[in-house]
Amino acid sequence: MSTNDDIEDALTRHQVFLQRYAKGREDAAKAYIAELIREAQQRLGFDFSELSYARQEQVIADLLDRVEELNGDYTEEVIAEAMDLLEYEVEFNQRALVDAVGAGVEIVTPAVAAVQAGMLSKLMQLEPTKGFTIRDALRTFGVRKSQQILQIIRDGVTLGRTTAEIARSVRDAGPMMSRQATTLTRTITNHVGIQARNVVMRENRDITDSYKWVATLDSRTSLICASRDQTVYKDIEANPKPPAHFNCRSTIVPVIKPEFDLGLDVKGERPSVGASGPRPVAGDTSYGSWLRKQPQSFQVAVLGVTRAKLFKQGQISIGRFVDDAGRTLTLDELRKLEPLTFERLGI
């Protein structure tokens, strides 16, 4: 395989390790949510609904103080672990670059302090118009969970529910909060891995000055990631990078300059999970070309009925389903962009 195929193979396989690491961190996220729920239930006690309004407000204020404390502790725990992961990921990406181009090529080692500062300041572009730093994402999540618990309690009081009923409602919110917390954990883990790779690429621009977006070839991949799959971006700093959304599984791989690509011109492979199950495909297969080879039922499961028809019969590329910012276009917006195709297909 070529040098670029070698490093893409190594880094996409490493993405599986990152996802497993994130899964291991999900237990801490679940424990954090469980503690929030437990604190709320304990503060409610047995007679909350019988207390005076002033006393209820004091209990709620005490609860919010405790929840804020728990949120702060959890945020610092996540950031500390992210720092450790970042250091490991920088080392891994350096080794991957050395393995790809050979030990005779000098690889620049980024300064740890600068890498850590960059990770904390870099935005995760999780929405087309809004970005979060890791700390901001954790703080926002904590505030929203606090407000959610508070709203459950206030709604219960307003509706005249008993303390036991209010406590049960708080408990019932736990599973959804846990899923949201684990989603945030996976998203942050991917962000850390991408930032480590980005800084290694940035410090070694003489070897690689561009990167390729690599999405997962299966039915769960988002339209934004599918549309960017196999796209090569020339600006390491300004161009988009994963995570493009919560639970994003995409990664990036550096594109080695031709003078350092000493491998054979033989294409590698990449994994995919289509309608017929797991199957390797050519390494340069894009999500769009892969999806076109899947049965119509699979395309509908991924795109929905109307988009699947446009994709298959209208021959509209998957990139047309999102705008330049990565936002998925509505069907009405698509109709304005492709009026003749809609008319020809009778939809």
Side-chain angles (χ1 to χ4, degrees), residues 17-38:
F17 158 78
L18 270 181
Q19 291 170 6
R20 289 175 179 168
Y21 172 86
K23 191 168 185 61
R25 295 307 310 139
E26 289 177 13
D27 288 341
K30 292 175 182 176
Y32 155 64
I33 293 298
E35 184 63 19
L36 289 184
I37 299 298
R38 187 162 45 248

Side-chain angles (χ1 to χ4, degrees), residues 92-213:
F92 171 83
N93 281 279
Q94 286 180 279
R95 291 198 305 271
L97 203 55
V98 170
D99 291 344
V101 301
V105 179
E106 183 179 358
I107 304 297
V108 177
T109 301
V112 175
V115 173
Q116 292 177 337
M119 183 198 73
L120 290 177
S121 62
K122 203 71 174 180
L123 298 180
M124 296 184 287
Q125 297 293 341
L126 300 177
E127 300 173 12
T129 59
K130 189 173 184 180
F132 297 92
T133 65
I134 291 178
R135 191 179 295 277
D136 284 343
L138 289 165
R139 183 183 297 115
T140 299
F141 178 81
V143 169
R144 287 177 178 173
K145 296 310 103 179
S146 301
Q147 292 174 341
Q148 187 175 345
I149 291 173
L150 175 61
Q151 193 62 51
I152 290 171
I153 294 172
R154 291 199 186 283
D155 287 347
V157 172
T158 300
L159 295 173
R161 290 174 176 163
T162 66
T163 300
E165 289 173 332
I166 297 173
R168 191 179 306 116
S169 295
V170 171
R171 182 197 63 202
D172 291 345
M176 176 61 75
M177 289 185 181
S178 289
R179 288 192 292 273
Q180 292 168 340
T182 55
T183 291
L184 182 57
T185 296
R186 290 191 292 269
T187 305
I188 288 174
T189 299
N190 197 16
H191 175 69
V192 172
I194 294 298
Q195 291 310 307
R197 190 160 302 160
N198 186 67
V199 75
V200 171
M201 290 191 300
R202 186 181 66 212
E203 295 298 320
N204 292 278
R205 289 179 187 269
D206 57 327
I207 299 171
T208 173
D209 58 3
S210 59
Y211 64 89
K212 182 196 295 185
W213 188 293

